[in-house]
Each structure stands twice: as C-alpha cells, then as structure tokens.
Amino acid sequence: MKTALITGITGQDGAYLSRLLLNKGYDVIGLLNPSRNSSLWKLDYLGIKDQIRFETCDLTLSDEVLRCVKEHEPDEIYNFAAQSSVGTSFQQPSGSILFNITSVLNLLEAVRENQSASRLYQASSSEMFGMVDRMPVDESTPMHPLSPYAVSKAAAHWMTINYRESYGLFACCGICFNHESFLRDNRFFVKKVIKEGLRIKAGEQNVLRVGNLGVRRDFGFSPKYVEAMWMMLQSPQPTDYIICSGSSISLDRIVEYIFDRLNISTDKVVVDPSLVRPSEIQDIYGDNSKARNELGWNYDMDFFEVLDLLIDEEIGADSGRSAL
C-alpha cells in the first residue's frame, strides 16, 4: 500500500484526488492547518472523510513539516495548500506571498533533509504566465505574472524546479489552468454565477455583481485534472506539465449560458467597479500535448458540458437541502 500526504486536502482538488487515491488503494493522510477551523464537508460529500487520516501541521514552520515527512515517510506528497484567490492577493499581498512561498520551501527542504524518496507534486498555476505574446501557452512560455498571487506561484514553481535540478528530488509542477466542479469554493467565478443565479431564480437575490466579463480563460473539470496530477508522480522521470482544456471562453459567455439554462434575464447582471482587478490577463489558453503524449492523459470535455454537470449538481444539492 502506498502512502500519500496531501496538503490543502479540504479544497476541491484535494478532495477529488483523495477519492482517486483511495480507489487505487492508497493510505491517505491529510494535513490540516492548526490555525484554521477546516471544514471537511467536501470530503464528507464524496463519502470518503472516514477513510482519511488527518493531522495538523503548520506549513510555515519548518520543524513541523520535517516531523510530518519523517514520521509518515510518504511515497507521494501533493501540495495544494495556498492562498489561492487572485483577488485576495491584491488585498493581502504580503500574507499571500509569504505563505505560498514558505510552505513550498518547507516541504522541499523536509524531503531533502530527510533524504526521503517521496515524490512531490506542486500545484502551479496558469496565472504565472500573465502577459503572454503567443498562444497557446506551453511549458516553455516565458512568465510575466500580473498579480501577487501569480508572483508567489511563479516563485514556488521555480523553487521546485531548482530543488529537482540541484538535489535530485522527484518533484513535478502541474501548471493548471482554471478547473471547476461542484466542490469549488463560492468565491470563484463559475461557482458564484451558478449559486447566485439560483438565488435570483428563487427570488432570494436581486442581481449578480461581477467584475470584468470581457476576459477569456481556459476552463476544465477538476475530477479529470487530478488524474493528470497522479500520473505525473508515476512517471519514470520528474518534469512539469500543463494541465488544461486547450481553448478559452469569455466570462460573459459563461454568464449568458448559465442564465439561459436557469431562464433568467442577463439584465440581472451588474458590473461592480470594486470587483475589477488592478491588472488582468485578457485571454489565455494552454497546450496540453505534452501531458497527452507523455502521460497518456486524455481530456475531451467541452466546457458547456462541464457547466451542465455543475448546474445539475448544484440544483440537486439545493433540492436535497430543501428536503431536509
């Protein structure tokens, strides 16, 4: 039985990856932040909470991280822990950068100091590329981050590569573009539009407040993306991969599709200047051919198909709560 240590296990990717690993017979250990009251509802929703061993660990404290790695000697480490909101990073730049860099450094150091054979997955982000001069983006595209979050992710990304090249660690970065699911936190755009659209339809809310809807993003489906993350750590040699759908869609088109499905007028959409970011990527989409060719990962979901799944699951969950 393999052992996997997962940070950020209470998030969307942590939950879906946990389910995948448990189905493959792994012993899964989830690290929880002792300074936060972590909600386990996502793991409970998937029916796997009782199959996971939990432990508290402050990833900003190197001694605690080293203790966890020494104690459990995990075969694989998946790092999802981060301040992951671009918007929040503009409001709290120092906290976002400090945590997102220090936590990764401590994990890398723990593996190195322990001379561990642990294979490490680092969750990198497409936000690192920022202002690009050509598309689709691939693994060799230069980075020009446009937010404190993106800067912190770029630093953690290159630090992971540095430890791989300097110390021989089996460390991979998965450069993920936007990926959604029912388990996505409410502050993220697609989840927000669906949930608030349902509230508008039910007469519980008057309008949907949004920022810049003119931008385009590459969106995918989280349960499929975690498959690629696992595949990376099964490869003979460590390297980095872009995980994406390969095309972009505008945010206004997403709103139109969701509101049309819910039979709501887009007159209910209000642009709120306070939600417009100081700097913004206008359009970005990736090239997943390296992951397809080297890992055998296959992704062929149209994002409107994904939206249908998310809308139906949200409506089902609302109906279930109403029946209680």
Side-chain angles (χ1 to χ4, degrees), residues 96-157:
S96 300
I97 290 173
L98 181 64
F99 182 84
N100 289 355
I101 295 177
T102 304
S103 57
V104 179
L105 178 60
N106 286 342
L107 283 166
L108 291 166
E109 273 291 280
V111 175
R112 184 185 72 84
E113 287 185 29
N114 196 41
Q115 297 183 329
S116 170
S118 300
R119 297 185 170 199
L120 185 143
Y121 171 86
Q122 165 59 18
S124 291
S125 168
S126 62
E127 290 284 334
M128 302 184 304
F129 294 112
M131 189 182 298
V132 297
D133 57 8
R134 62 180 174 85
M135 288 189 285
V137 170
D138 62 26
E139 290 80 2
S140 65
T141 300
M143 296 178 184
H144 187 149
L146 294 178
S147 68
Y149 167 77
V151 169
S152 70
K153 279 294 188 177
H157 176 84

Side-chain angles (χ1 to χ4, degrees), residues 10-17 19 41-42 45-46 178-186 188-192 194-195 219-226 299 301 303 306-314:
T10 59
Q12 165 186 255
D13 291 352
Y16 284 117
L17 179 72
R19 183 176 67 178
W41 80 265
K42 295 172 185 174
Y45 178 81
L46 296 180
N178 295 65
H179 47 295
E180 311 302 315
S181 75
F182 173 77
L183 300 185
R184 191 69 140 147
D185 287 346
N186 293 342
F188 288 94
F189 179 77
V190 174
K191 180 74 167 186
K192 171 184 173 177
I194 295 173
K195 284 193 73 71
F219 285 97
F221 190 45
S222 176
K224 284 291 295 180
Y225 281 30
V226 298
Y299 188 84
M301 297 182 73
F303 194 59
V306 175
L307 286 175
D308 285 337
L309 291 173
L310 304 189
I311 294 167
D312 290 343
E313 191 165 4
E314 199 70 53

Side-chain angles (χ1 to χ4, degrees), residues 135-273:
M135 288 189 285
V137 170
D138 62 26
E139 290 80 2
S140 65
T141 300
M143 296 178 184
H144 187 149
L146 294 178
S147 68
Y149 167 77
V151 169
S152 70
K153 279 294 188 177
H157 176 84
W158 285 111
M159 199 156 47
T160 303
I161 293 172
N162 178 255
Y163 269 70
R164 181 173 72 219
E165 295 176 346
S166 300
Y167 304 114
L169 270 62
F170 194 109
C172 301
C173 296
I175 308 169
C176 289
F177 283 64
N178 295 65
H179 47 295
E180 311 302 315
S181 75
F182 173 77
L183 300 185
R184 191 69 140 147
D185 287 346
N186 293 342
R187 69 182 185 275
F188 288 94
F189 179 77
V190 174
K191 180 74 167 186
K192 171 184 173 177
V193 174
I194 295 173
K195 284 193 73 71
E196 295 193 16
L198 286 169
R199 291 194 191 108
I200 293 170
K201 185 176 180 64
E204 299 170 356
Q205 182 172 325
N206 293 324
V207 297
L208 169 69
R209 297 189 180 277
V210 296
N212 182 4
L213 292 182
V215 299
R216 300 175 64 91
R217 292 290 184 271
D218 184 324
F219 285 97
F221 190 45
S222 176
K224 284 291 295 180
Y225 281 30
V226 298
E227 294 175 4
M229 299 169 191
W230 174 78
M231 288 176 175
M232 287 184 205
L233 297 196
Q234 316 313 309
S235 297
Q237 298 295 327
T239 186
D240 310 313
Y241 295 92
I242 280 180
I243 311 174
C244 67
S245 75
S247 62
S248 65
I249 181 175
S250 66
L251 301 192
D252 58 1
R253 183 69 187 95
I254 291 174
V255 173
E256 289 170 4
Y257 187 84
I258 292 171
F259 274 41
D260 183 63
R261 270 286 319 265
L262 299 179
N263 196 25
I264 305 169
S265 170
T266 52
D267 292 343
K268 298 285 188 178
V269 180
V270 175
V271 175
D272 185 339

